[in-house]
Every structure is written in C-alpha cells, then in structure tokens.
Amino acid sequence: IVRTTLPTYRIVTDTFSITVQIESRDGQPFSGADLEVAWPGAAAYPYSPFTVTGVTKLRSGVETQIVDAQETVRVTWTSATPVTGPIQLVRLSCRVQTRRAGNQVLLRLNQLLRGDLTDVTSSTSVFNPVVIIP
C-alpha cells in the first residue's frame, strides 16, 4: 500500500503535515520505491486550499526533487538492506491558503521493489486522500 497519513483529513489549523509511507500487506520487505506526490492547483487560487512549504526526508536513502512549479515532488528511496513494516519516506509541511474548500493529494507510483528486487508496482494499492479545510 502506498498512502499518506494525516492526523485528520478535516484541517482546522493554519498549518499541518502529510506523511507519505509504503507498507506491505503481507509483511514482505521492500528495498526501493519511486513515486510522485502532487497537490494540484496550490498556486491557482481558489482551486486549492493549501500549499506545501517544505519537504522533510524521514529515512536514509530517500531523495526528493521538485518536479516543476506545479506542486509536485518526486520521491525515490533505495536500501541495500530490505526493510519491513510501515516505511515513512517524507513529510510535507503544509500551510492553509483559503478556507471552505478541499483538495486531493495525488500519489503516482512509478516503481515499488520488494526486498528481492521483484517489481510489485502493478499489484500495489494507492490511497489518494481528500483534504477538507472548513
């Protein structure tokens, strides 16, 4: 599973964070991932209620790159030793721009490798949450 975690999907504070993680449903370890995280429209008021102000790497082997000025960050992770359990990759620090709106965080999985380097991208579930800012 590739997903984001938030304390709540209904944001009432002015700042919040989103954590991106991968997790195996069958307990098998992972050794690499390549994905993109987008929050489309953040620069185009009133279409997005929040913007990302920072990206923090949460484990060794993670690299990030801002893909373009259109609210997308590419995240790659590799590990010489396969890792089990939930693997938190990055945390996005976010700031609310406008209230009474919502937006979807979009995850695009390019590649996910098990510990034996088997590509399991085609059988992976991706959860794209909707963030509501009342």
Side-chain angles (χ1 to χ4, degrees):
I1 300 172
V2 179
R3 66 183 179 136
T4 59
T5 60
L6 291 102
T8 178
Y9 294 101
R10 190 172 181 85
I11 308 300
V12 295
T13 57
D14 290 336
T15 60
F16 63 99
S17 64
I18 299 170
T19 301
V20 177
Q21 72 180 35
I22 56 177
E23 185 174 350
S24 175
R25 286 182 258 192
D26 59 7
Q28 295 294 312
F30 290 116
S31 61
D34 178 5
L35 57 103
E36 294 173 20
V37 184
W39 52 101
Y45 175 83
Y47 301 107
S48 178
F50 71 90
T51 189
V52 172
T53 58
V55 179
T56 304
K57 301 172 192 176
L58 298 178
R59 67 180 315 113
S60 63
V62 171
E63 296 298 327
T64 61
Q65 175 188 13
I66 302 298
V67 175
D68 53 32
Q70 300 303 311
E71 300 77 35
T72 303
V73 64
R74 185 164 187 176
V75 179
T76 56
W77 167 69
T78 57
S79 177
T81 305
V83 179
T84 59
I87 303 166
Q88 295 185 335
L89 301 174
V90 295
R91 180 178 303 112
L92 307 177
S93 299
C94 304
R95 181 176 40 82
V96 171
Q97 293 188 140
T98 186
R99 298 259 170 215
R100 294 177 295 285
N103 195 18
Q104 189 166 23
V105 178
L106 301 173
L107 298 172
R108 184 172 134 199
L109 181 62
N110 299 319
Q111 188 173 46
L112 183 59
L113 301 176
R114 287 226 189 261
D116 63 1
L117 302 181
T118 302
D119 188 350
V120 294
T121 305
S122 63
S123 61
T124 302
S125 299
V126 177
F127 175 64
N128 294 309
V130 173
V131 176
I132 304 297
I133 301 181

